[in-house]
Amino acid sequence: MTPLEAPGAGVPYKILGASDVIHINELRQRYPNGRSAVLPALWVLQRKEGILTAEGMREVARALELPPGPVEAVASFYSMFFFKPHGRYVVEMCTSMSCLLMGAGPVLRRFEEQLAVRTGATTEDNLATLLEVECLGACGGAPAAQVNHRFFENLAPEKVEPMIAEMRAGTIEAAAPPAALATGGKEALPTMPTGAKAADRETIVDLANPGANRLEVAIAGSAGSVVDLVKGHGYLLNPSDHPAERGYVEPSKEPQP
Ligand code: FES
C-alpha cells in the first residue's frame, strides 16, 4: 500500500502532486523508519513551494504516514528551511570563527551596503535575502558564503558588487556540484522560488507562537475530552476536581518513629 492508496487517500493532495508523493514514498523506503525520511521529504516540499507552510507540512506528514507534529518539530529545528517568503537568491554569510578571522565582517557589511538591507532582511525587489549563519564547513575557503545552497569561498569585499550585479542579470555561476568538480567547471546558479505564491494561499508558520498554525482541536469526542498541550490549558483539570480544592493534604514527610 502506498500513501496514495492509504486511508484518507480519497482526499486529494492540494500542494504535493502525485509524483511528489511517489517520490516521498520512495525516500521513505530507503530507511527502516519513516521518520528518517522527514528531512528529504521536507526538501521536496521546499523545492516546490519555496517555503514550508502549515498545510504543506501536513501533506508531507500524510505522505510519510506520520502525525504532523514530528514533521513540524524537525522542520523548525533546521535553519535551512524557510517559513516565510525570501528573495530569489538567499545569501548565507558565515560569521563563525575561521571566517570571522579571515574578514567575514567587512564582506557582510558590503553585502548590506550593496543590497541596501540589514542582515536578516529581503530586498524590496525580492532579489535577495541576506542571512548570517554558523560554520558552513568550508573553513578552508574562509570567508565563505552560500548562495542558493552553493558555495562561494575566499570572498572579499570587492567581490561582492560583481556578485550582486550577476544576480540581477541572472548570470551568477557557482562551482559545479561534486560530480563535475574534477573539471573545475562552473554552472549557472538557478534562482529559488520565493514562497510568495504559497504564502498567499496557505498558512504561514509562526515559529514565535507555537501552535498558532494548528488545526482546531475538538474539546470532546468519542474518545472523551482532548487535551491540547499547546493551547488547551483550559481543558486540563476542572478547578473543583483539583486535589487541593478537595482539601487534599500532602502526607507528612516527618520521619516516622
Ligand atoms: S567558520 Fe566559516 S565555514 Fe567554517
Side-chain angles (χ1 to χ4, degrees), residues 93-100 104 133-145 151:
M93 183 74 220
C94 172
T95 54
S96 288
M97 188 55 74
S98 300
C99 288
L100 208 56
V133 296
E134 300 297 332
C135 180
L136 292 167
C139 316
F151 282 103

Side-chain angles (χ1 to χ4, degrees), residues 9-174:
V11 181
Y13 285 85
K14 290 187 178 149
I15 297 163
L16 298 175
S19 60
D20 298 319
V21 177
I22 289 167
H23 184 192
I24 289 174
N25 193 29
E26 285 167 358
L27 291 167
R28 186 172 172 276
Q29 304 306 320
R30 295 182 192 174
Y31 305 96
N33 186 326
R35 287 179 185 237
S36 305
V38 169
L39 281 175
L42 285 171
W43 279 115
V44 172
L45 175 64
Q46 181 158 295
R47 289 200 183 102
K48 185 180 188 88
E49 296 240 289
I51 56 172
L52 305 182
T53 60
E55 290 88 345
M57 284 191 282
R58 279 185 210 124
E59 290 202 358
V60 166
R62 199 173 128 207
L64 289 170
E65 299 178 65
L66 290 173
V71 173
E72 291 179 21
V74 168
S76 63
F77 184 79
Y78 291 96
S79 60
M80 71 277 273
F81 291 123
F82 300 116
F83 297 93
K84 56 185 182 183
H86 49 76
R88 297 188 296 283
Y89 294 98
V90 176
V91 179
E92 297 175 288
M93 183 74 220
C94 172
T95 54
S96 288
M97 188 55 74
S98 300
C99 288
L100 208 56
L101 291 172
M102 295 301 287
V107 175
L108 184 62
R109 279 197 292 282
R110 189 66 67 89
F111 269 116
E112 286 187 326
E113 287 164 15
Q114 294 295 322
L115 290 170
V117 290
R118 300 297 304 272
T119 301
T122 300
T123 59
E124 279 190 11
D125 61 359
N126 287 333
L127 173 72
T129 297
L130 179 60
L131 299 174
E132 184 179 1
V133 296
E134 300 297 332
C135 180
L136 292 167
C139 316
Q146 279 192 333
V147 181
N148 291 7
H149 305 300
R150 299 286 288 278
F151 282 103
F152 289 78
E153 300 181 357
N154 302 306
L155 289 173
E158 59 272 19
K159 292 184 179 177
V160 169
E161 197 171 349
M163 279 177 72
I164 293 173
E166 287 173 3
M167 286 182 209
R168 288 193 206 290
T171 57
I172 186 166
E173 293 183 325

Side-chain angles (χ1 to χ4, degrees), residues 192-213:
M192 298 211 293
T194 64
K197 287 182 184 160
D200 279 348
R201 52 170 196 262
E202 297 158 31
T203 308
I204 294 282
V205 174
D206 181 1
L207 286 183
N209 185 11
N213 323 294

